[in-house]
Amino acid sequence: MAMNHWLEGVVPVYRKVNEEEFELVNGSWKYGSYFSTLLTQSNLYLPWVKRRLQLNGITFKQRELNSLKELTNDYDIVINCTGLGARKLCYDRHLVSLRGQVLKVKAPWMKMFFYGELDTYIIPGFNGIVTLGGSRNFDSENIKLCPYESAAIRERCETLIPSLKNAEILRQEVGLRPHRDGGVRVGDGSRISNHSKAIIIHNYGHGGYGVCMAPGTSIMAVNAAVELHKSTNSKI
Ligand SMILES: Cc1cc2nc3c(=O)[nH]c(=O)nc-3n(C[C@H](O)[C@H](O)[C@H](O)COP(=O)(O)OP(=O)(O)OC[C@H]3O[C@@H](n4cnc5c(N)ncnc54)[C@H](O)[C@@H]3O)c2cc1C
């Protein structure tokens, strides 16, 4: 990765890769950035967040909606985080699925993450499990694993870090990123319907960056909800 001045200010360490670090990767790399950052592993983080919310008295209800208007009688404020579901619920034609595939391998010797060209990434997680990626298939909603794509990902990662040839594959995963042409829709809101005082604030379309952006966009959504609530005759 070439130097990125946006990242420079937000991570604890950000500098050029030195000669010793270039030795860690295969190929004749001339430019690179070294930085430290935090890792969020969603399958651990989300249950932890849910538990904390429950301990604070929050209850969870799960159901499929055909329309946001179904919520008008039961709630005063709705924050809409439905990702790709907003295509149907908000008639938002700017949302596009950006399919991605990754491999999880056992490689406890990997202690640093690497980002190369063509969406090639190697990210050590917990318990020696390393994520190998990746791919971006625009406008694809195929959630079946593609063996050719897996082979290509593995080959790109092994070319970058040859020791990964010894890594056992644990599983492979496919996901759909909620990409939105024009960026995340966050902060704008309105009454859900003319017949109700309930308000809705949107927060969807995070594409491939929802985990790292969520702490920021959720604050924006909550602030917008407070402002809109103040300026309407909401019933609470
Ligand atoms: C391979 C891959 C790698 C990624 N890597 C990263 C990364 O390194 N860093 C990063 O920050 N992000 C990454 N992402 C992106 C990240 O996972 C997404 O941005 C994030 O999950 C979006 O979260 P969300 O809650 O907005 O949407 P979603 O996770 O899609 O959640 C939307 C929710 O709304 C619900 N819903 C939708 N419609 C309805 C309806 N009609 N009724 C009821 N419920 C509904 C869905 O069931 C779902 O629970 C990656 C994604 C993929 C696929």
Side-chain angles (χ1 to χ4, degrees):
M1 189 188 287
M3 294 299 278
N4 176 334
H5 70 280
W6 295 107
L7 265 179
E8 236 168 325
V10 294
V11 292
V13 179
Y14 191 89
R15 57 167 172 77
K16 285 184 179 166
V17 169
N18 62 34
E19 286 307 316
E20 202 180 318
E21 287 150 2
F22 275 129
E23 294 293 314
L24 298 172
V25 292
N26 190 27
S28 50
W29 294 82
K30 291 192 176 59
Y31 306 101
S33 303
Y34 174 102
F35 59 93
S36 61
T37 185
L38 59 82
L39 173 81
T40 307
Q41 193 166 312
S42 296
N43 64 353
L44 300 174
Y45 175 66
L46 290 178
W48 177 79
V49 172
K50 185 175 181 185
R51 184 85 194 110
R52 282 188 52 148
L53 291 169
Q54 284 170 327
L55 289 173
N56 282 312
I58 309 291
T59 53
F60 285 79
K61 292 179 184 173
Q62 191 170 7
R63 87 176 205 233
E64 187 170 353
L65 298 172
N66 288 311
S67 162
L68 292 167
K69 288 184 183 152
E70 291 171 35
L71 302 171
T72 45
N73 293 331
D74 299 330
Y75 303 96
D76 300 302
I77 299 175
V78 172
I79 300 197
N80 171 24
C81 310
T82 52
L84 287 172
R87 275 188 304 201
K88 177 178 152 195
L89 294 171
C90 305
Y91 309 105
D92 191 333
R93 300 289 159 223
H94 298 289
L95 279 162
V96 182
S97 167
L98 198 51
R99 180 187 177 280
Q101 194 165 308
V102 294
L103 284 77
K104 301 284 179 179
V105 300
K106 188 87 181 162
W109 60 91
M110 293 298 300
K111 302 295 178 203
M112 292 166 85
F113 71 89
F114 295 89
Y115 266 78
E117 288 173 327
L118 303 172
D119 246 316
T120 303
Y121 52 85
I122 297 156
I123 307 175
F126 294 88
N127 305 322
I129 299 174
V130 177
T131 303
L132 307 185
S135 61
R136 279 167 199 264
N137 312 135
F138 193 79
D139 204 12
S140 168
E141 293 183 42
N142 183 358
I143 52 166
K144 271 194 181 161
L145 273 169
C146 170
Y148 304 107
E149 205 163 295
S150 291
I153 291 170
R154 184 122 208 209
E155 190 184 326
R156 277 187 277 129
C157 292
E158 287 174 5
T159 302
L160 194 61
I161 305 287
S163 70
L164 287 169
K165 287 191 176 117
N166 303 320
E168 176 199 353
I169 297 186
L170 300 173
R171 56 184 190 276
Q172 304 175 56
E173 293 172 358
V174 174
L176 306 180
R177 305 172 179 97
H179 172 76
R180 186 167 184 270
D181 193 19
V184 183
R185 184 179 183 194
V186 57
D188 69 316
S190 60
R191 291 216 169 137
I192 299 182
S193 91
N194 294 334
H195 311 292
S196 152
K197 289 179 180 171
I199 58 169
I200 181 154
I201 297 289
H202 302 285
N203 187 12
Y204 64 79
H206 293 69
Y209 309 100
V211 181
C212 58
M213 278 200 286
T217 55
S218 56
I219 291 172
M220 288 173 77
V222 169
N223 287 344
V226 170
E227 286 308 310
L228 186 62
H229 178 61
K230 275 193 215 156
S231 65
T232 58
N233 289 325
S234 190
K235 58 191 173 190
I236 47 173

